[in-house]
Amino acid sequence: MADDLELRFERTVQADARIEPRDWMPDGYRKTLIRQIAQHAHSEIIGMQPEGNWISRAPSLRRKAILLAKVQDEAGHGLYLYSATETLGADREDLTLKLIEGRQKYSSIFNYPTLTFADVGVIGWLVDGAAICNQVPLCRTSYGPYARAMIRICKEESFHQRQGYELLMTMMRGTQQQRDMVQDSVNRWWWPALMMFGPPDSESTNTEQSMAWRIKRDTNDELRQKFVNMSVPQAEALGVTFPDPELRWNEERGQYDFGQPDWDEFWQVVKGGGVCNAQRIAHRRKAHEDGAWVREAAAAHAQKQAQKQAV
Ligand code: FAQ
């Protein structure tokens, strides 16, 4: 019986069909999905902070409205993804506690500070750009609820990427000071953006199994290469450069060669030692504690409604 279930699972995955919440799945598959989707959800929620920092100081009503909409989308993505983990039996409150107690990870990228308004544009262009590059293949991930969540999320990420690029185009048409701000921001975010794809394949502990289960559809290095190939022409059109002396077109490979990020810095940030890690978690913890009364009120309301229905 167990063998039959396992065989059916393997066949479904190999046929590129979807595993659904009520289907049998190996414990490791369930565990890996909860880990990855929770990390993704936490990233969306923590990811609201770097840009949220600029909402009250956006330079115009238009920019403020766009930024507000983007940050609200990120909240929506986080909630949507937490719902996907619930279909696997995870508990949202438990995941939030694991995040604020440092027992679960979120993307390294959100531990860097947003120093100028150009950072809002560069986050849209490069950070959302990297997110799209990583997430479009996840629309074909083997777990149904995650794949479907990714379709909607990617559509919204495209808007995020476009607004960032358009913001930067506007700044590049402005004063020399504005152009310098954009270049400075690109210099600071380029390497952290490349780190978003995870460690090199040779150091990636989860890739092999996640690829076999078709949770991941490409390796970290494959996606990083795709992102570099995609970003270089966009940088040229914008009129900025990337801070990588090894970046050049390789005619033979038909791809760009590029240097490696500082992987020691990456691991330091992942382990909690980045510039903003403590601040991000403290902020999230405070928001969770301040919101306790809302959760209690919602639960009391739901209980009352249930009682009314029972009468
Ligand atoms: N940061 O074996 P692998 C967004 C960990 S986009 C921190 O290669 P895996 C949108 C990894 O968890 C950002 N930790 O891992 C947005 C593992 O540790 P563990 C979120 C990292 O899972 C834009 C260890 O290193 N996107 O939020 C990172 O196979 C703008 C070994 O690594 C997603 O989460 C990292 N960068 O591959 C929002 C996409 N990289 O768990 C606001 C879905 C690796 O074993 C503003 N996730 N680690 O203890 C994925 O595609 C994968 O999980 C990877 C990592 C590719 C991120």
Side-chain angles (χ1 to χ4, degrees), residues 35-36 39-40 43-44 47-48 51 70 74 105-108 110 123 127-128 131 134-135 138 146 157 195-199 203-207 210 216 220 266-267 270:
R35 177 186 63 77
Q36 177 167 325
Q39 178 177 314
H40 194 165
S43 303
E44 297 279 358
M48 295 163 72
E51 293 164 285
K70 180 183 192 288
E74 285 152 9
K105 299 183 169 80
Y106 60 93
S107 183
S108 50
F110 303 116
I123 288 178
V127 176
D128 284 277
N134 169 271
Q135 287 166 35
L138 291 177
Y146 191 28
E157 302 284 27
M195 294 175 192
M196 286 175 71
F197 296 95
E203 288 173 43
S204 167
T205 41
N206 300 294
T207 295
S210 291
K216 281 170 90 164
N220 300 355
F266 169 76
W267 290 115
V270 170

Side-chain angles (χ1 to χ4, degrees), residues 28-48:
Y29 179 83
R30 187 184 298 276
K31 225 170 126 192
T32 298
L33 276 169
I34 293 177
R35 177 186 63 77
Q36 177 167 325
I37 305 173
Q39 178 177 314
H40 194 165
H42 297 329
S43 303
E44 297 279 358
I45 297 296
I46 295 280
M48 295 163 72

Side-chain angles (χ1 to χ4, degrees), residues 116-182:
T116 69
F117 198 71
D119 290 3
V120 170
V122 171
I123 288 178
W125 173 36
L126 294 180
V127 176
D128 284 277
I132 294 169
C133 210
N134 169 271
Q135 287 166 35
V136 165
L138 291 177
C139 297
R140 292 181 294 111
T141 192
S142 57
Y143 186 57
Y146 191 28
R148 291 188 286 277
M150 281 299 107
I151 294 171
R152 173 170 174 178
I153 290 175
C154 283
K155 283 185 185 157
E156 293 182 350
E157 302 284 27
S158 297
F159 150 63
H160 297 173
Q161 205 255 1
R162 303 275 307 232
Q163 68 81 34
Y165 198 70
E166 191 265 347
L167 190 166
L168 296 177
M169 274 288 185
T170 306
M171 287 188 79
M172 292 303 284
R173 283 194 297 265
T175 62
Q176 187 55 44
Q177 200 184 0
Q178 284 175 303
R179 281 191 286 278
D180 292 345
M181 269 168 76
V182 174

Side-chain angles (χ1 to χ4, degrees), residues 8-269:
R8 202 156 129 202
F9 169 84
E10 284 299 336
R11 282 205 185 124
T12 308
V13 168
Q14 293 312 317
D16 252 343
R18 300 281 164 268
I19 302 294
E20 294 298 337
R22 290 189 185 151
D23 292 343
W24 182 90
M25 59 186 86
D27 284 347
Y29 179 83
R30 187 184 298 276
K31 225 170 126 192
T32 298
L33 276 169
I34 293 177
R35 177 186 63 77
Q36 177 167 325
I37 305 173
Q39 178 177 314
H40 194 165
H42 297 329
S43 303
E44 297 279 358
I45 297 296
I46 295 280
M48 295 163 72
Q49 293 185 38
E51 293 164 285
N53 181 37
W54 282 95
I55 291 173
S56 60
R57 291 173 291 148
S60 69
L61 182 62
R62 179 170 174 268
R63 292 291 169 204
K64 187 172 178 136
I66 295 171
L67 190 53
L68 260 177
K70 180 183 192 288
V71 173
Q72 280 177 358
D73 282 353
E74 285 152 9
H77 297 173
L79 300 183
Y80 211 46
L81 288 163
Y82 284 130
S83 298
T85 64
E86 284 171 335
T87 68
L88 291 156
D91 176 72
R92 193 181 295 211
E93 176 74 10
D94 175 56
L95 295 181
T96 302
L97 289 180
K98 282 185 173 138
L99 168 68
I100 59 185
E101 287 167 6
R103 288 185 285 133
Q104 261 178 358
K105 299 183 169 80
Y106 60 93
S107 183
S108 50
I109 191 76
F110 303 116
N111 294 304
Y112 292 84
T114 41
L115 304 181
T116 69
F117 198 71
D119 290 3
V120 170
V122 171
I123 288 178
W125 173 36
L126 294 180
V127 176
D128 284 277
I132 294 169
C133 210
N134 169 271
Q135 287 166 35
V136 165
L138 291 177
C139 297
R140 292 181 294 111
T141 192
S142 57
Y143 186 57
Y146 191 28
R148 291 188 286 277
M150 281 299 107
I151 294 171
R152 173 170 174 178
I153 290 175
C154 283
K155 283 185 185 157
E156 293 182 350
E157 302 284 27
S158 297
F159 150 63
H160 297 173
Q161 205 255 1
R162 303 275 307 232
Q163 68 81 34
Y165 198 70
E166 191 265 347
L167 190 166
L168 296 177
M169 274 288 185
T170 306
M171 287 188 79
M172 292 303 284
R173 283 194 297 265
T175 62
Q176 187 55 44
Q177 200 184 0
Q178 284 175 303
R179 281 191 286 278
D180 292 345
M181 269 168 76
V182 174
Q183 183 61 60
D184 170 67
S185 177
V186 170
N187 292 346
R188 285 182 289 109
W189 289 94
W190 174 246
W191 294 113
L194 290 190
M195 294 175 192
M196 286 175 71
F197 296 95
D201 292 350
S202 54
E203 288 173 43
S204 167
T205 41
N206 300 294
T207 295
E208 196 181 340
Q209 182 61 73
S210 291
M211 294 281 284
W213 278 329
R214 302 203 179 178
I215 292 174
K216 281 170 90 164
R217 307 305 309 243
D218 304 271
T219 72
N220 300 355
D221 286 335
E222 283 165 0
L223 290 174
R224 200 173 356 259
Q225 176 76 62
K226 207 163 156 188
F227 176 67
V228 171
N229 292 347
M230 187 179 98
S231 301
V232 173
Q234 293 173 355
E236 282 165 3
L238 197 57
V240 294
T241 55
F242 292 133
D244 179 358
E246 292 174 50
L247 184 65
R248 66 181 63 84
W249 179 252
N250 183 324
E251 195 65 53
E252 220 168 279
R253 293 200 310 125
Q255 317 232 47
Y256 283 93
D257 288 339
F258 58 99
Q260 284 297 306
D262 179 345
W263 292 115
D264 291 339
E265 175 184 313
F266 169 76
W267 290 115
Q268 193 186 330
V269 175

